[in-house]
């Protein structure tokens, strides 16, 4: 995607919700509240995982990674959106758009892999409880987390290059609130079928690995649960795994809907609200999902707050 394309090109215009001024005012208030809650919830998870020795386990190590990732993911788009919702200038430089696409794609890809790694952690805890600490050694946990980040951004590099190879012919108005793949492809002045096929091919290969890991892990977990005779034991397993499955369903469901459906069936307004869901709503509710009915986290919060009030 040549930034010049034969004309003076300074950047892009993010149209966002500019055709609905009344909605912009409402969205500004709602998204500001959601963003602050996202910062609070995910920062709390990270802090508790560091401060409470009982939470210094593989599960909470990966959860704190997820919380940090969600903080970065939301911050890569929402502050700019808030500025655009309150101002007349809705521009973004070419370099800024490239950076935003690269970072948001990298963080999204990393989350896909990290959710698969967390599923494997739950498999080891439920199906191999006696060997859990040996299997999920701190070095292995750090290696798996690092591999998730590296692979996610490597995939993002490839897709970002493919996107910005598409000729624009001077078009610069993006009908979206941030630089994302589907609306960027719609700016192209050439047939993008080949580009879309390449991106879909690489996306499918990338998704296959984490989805296969999640399917394998939960297939084994279900088999293990069916062997548990006590109802209390089954509830305990479902309690620890149910939160993760909920987060997986929210993230993968919205991401697959946004990226893997044909562009001809993709309503732009619908796409904007789907993007709002996985860029701000999902990161905001993740800490709630993981802490709801979680006695370890609630106990850690009580200890920290009680210690602070003394």
């Amino acid at each position: 995607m040549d930034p010049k394309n034969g004309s003076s090109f300074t950047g892009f215009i993010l149209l966002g919700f500019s055709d609905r001024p009344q909605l912009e005012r409402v969205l500004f208030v709602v998204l500001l509240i959601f963003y602050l809650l996202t910062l609070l919830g995910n920062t709390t998870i990270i802090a508790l995982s560091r401060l409470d020795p009982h939470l210094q386990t593989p599960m909470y190590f990966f959860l704190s990674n997820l919380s940090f990732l969600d903080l970065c993911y939301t911050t890569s788009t929402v502050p700019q959106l808030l500025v655009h919702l309150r101002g007349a200038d809705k521009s973004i430089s070419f370099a800024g758009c490239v950076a935003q696409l690269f970072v948001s794609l990298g963080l999204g890809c990393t989350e896909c892999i990290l959710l698969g790694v967390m599923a494997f952690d739950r498999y080891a805890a439920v199906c191999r409880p006696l060997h859990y600490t040996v299997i999920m050694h701190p070095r292995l946990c750090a290696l798996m987390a690092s591999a998730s980040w590296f692979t996610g951004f490597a995939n993002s590099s490839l897709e970002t290059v493919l996107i910005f190879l598409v000729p624009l012919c001077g078009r610069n108005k993006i009908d979206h609130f941030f630089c994302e793949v589907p609306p960027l492809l719609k700016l192209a002045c050439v047939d993008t079928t080949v580009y879309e096929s390449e991106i879909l091919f690489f996306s499918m290969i990338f998704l296959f690995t984490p989805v296969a890991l999640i399917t394998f892990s939960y297939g084994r977990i279900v088999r293990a649960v069916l062997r548990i005779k006590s109802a209390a034991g089954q509830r305990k397993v479902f309690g620890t795994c149910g939160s993760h499955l909920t987060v997986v369903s929210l993230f993968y469901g919205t991401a697959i809907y946004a990226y893997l459906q044909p562009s001809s069936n993709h309503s732009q307004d619908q796409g904007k609200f789907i993007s709002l869901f996985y860029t701000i709503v999902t990161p905001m509710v993740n800490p709630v999902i993981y802490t709801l009915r979680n006695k370890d986290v609630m106990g850690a919060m009580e200890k920290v707050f009680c210690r602070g009030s003394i």
Side-chain angles (χ1 to χ4, degrees), residues 67-300:
S67 293
F68 177 70
L69 192 153
D70 281 341
L71 283 174
C72 296
Y73 190 45
T74 303
T75 303
S76 70
T77 57
V78 174
Q80 175 193 261
L81 173 58
L82 291 173
V83 172
H84 286 179
L85 287 173
R86 294 299 295 164
D89 182 13
K90 303 183 188 299
S91 63
I92 183 172
S93 67
F94 180 82
C97 188
V98 174
Q100 187 177 64
L101 179 67
F102 171 71
V103 171
S104 60
L105 262 181
L107 292 169
C109 293
T110 301
E111 183 155 349
C112 286
I113 303 171
L114 191 60
L115 289 173
V117 170
M118 293 172 75
F120 178 77
D121 171 67
R122 291 299 84 210
Y123 154 75
V126 173
C127 302
R128 298 287 186 271
L130 298 179
H131 303 94
Y132 178 63
T133 54
V134 176
I135 297 172
M136 302 305 294
H137 190 274
R139 286 184 183 176
L140 178 62
C141 292
L143 179 62
M144 293 171 79
S146 301
S148 299
W149 286 85
F150 176 79
T151 307
F153 277 91
N155 183 73
S156 174
S157 300
L158 179 62
E159 293 202 24
T160 301
V161 169
L162 287 174
I163 289 296
F164 284 97
L165 285 175
V166 180
L168 280 185
C169 303
R171 299 176 184 178
N172 72 334
K173 292 184 178 179
I174 302 174
D175 192 10
H176 211 279
F177 61 87
F178 76 104
C179 294
E180 196 174 27
V181 173
L184 278 169
L185 284 176
K186 289 190 175 183
L187 292 182
C189 56
V190 296
D191 183 11
T192 60
T193 303
V194 174
Y195 292 96
E196 290 181 30
S197 299
E198 289 175 347
I199 291 170
L200 181 63
F201 174 73
F202 286 117
S203 298
M204 292 296 291
I205 292 177
F206 174 80
L207 280 173
F208 176 78
T209 303
V211 168
L213 184 57
I214 291 170
T215 304
F216 165 81
S217 299
Y218 278 101
R220 293 300 183 95
I221 288 171
V222 168
R223 289 176 59 185
V225 169
L226 293 176
R227 295 195 192 102
I228 299 175
K229 296 182 180 180
S230 69
Q234 291 181 342
R235 281 196 300 270
K236 184 177 180 181
V237 173
F238 282 125
T240 57
C241 297
S243 300
H244 179 256
L245 270 178
T246 303
V247 171
V248 167
S249 301
L250 286 173
F251 182 81
Y252 273 89
T254 53
I256 288 173
Y257 182 86
Y259 278 86
L260 298 186
Q261 65 169 326
S263 59
S264 57
N265 298 335
H266 194 275
S267 164
Q268 200 58 40
D269 285 340
Q270 193 178 47
K272 291 176 191 177
F273 287 103
I274 291 293
S275 297
L276 276 178
F277 192 88
Y278 63 74
T279 56
I280 183 66
V281 177
T282 301
M284 181 191 68
V285 300
N286 280 355
V288 178
I289 293 171
Y290 277 108
T291 57
L292 197 64
R293 296 171 59 188
N294 188 318
K295 295 179 180 178
D296 293 335
V297 175
M298 298 307 292

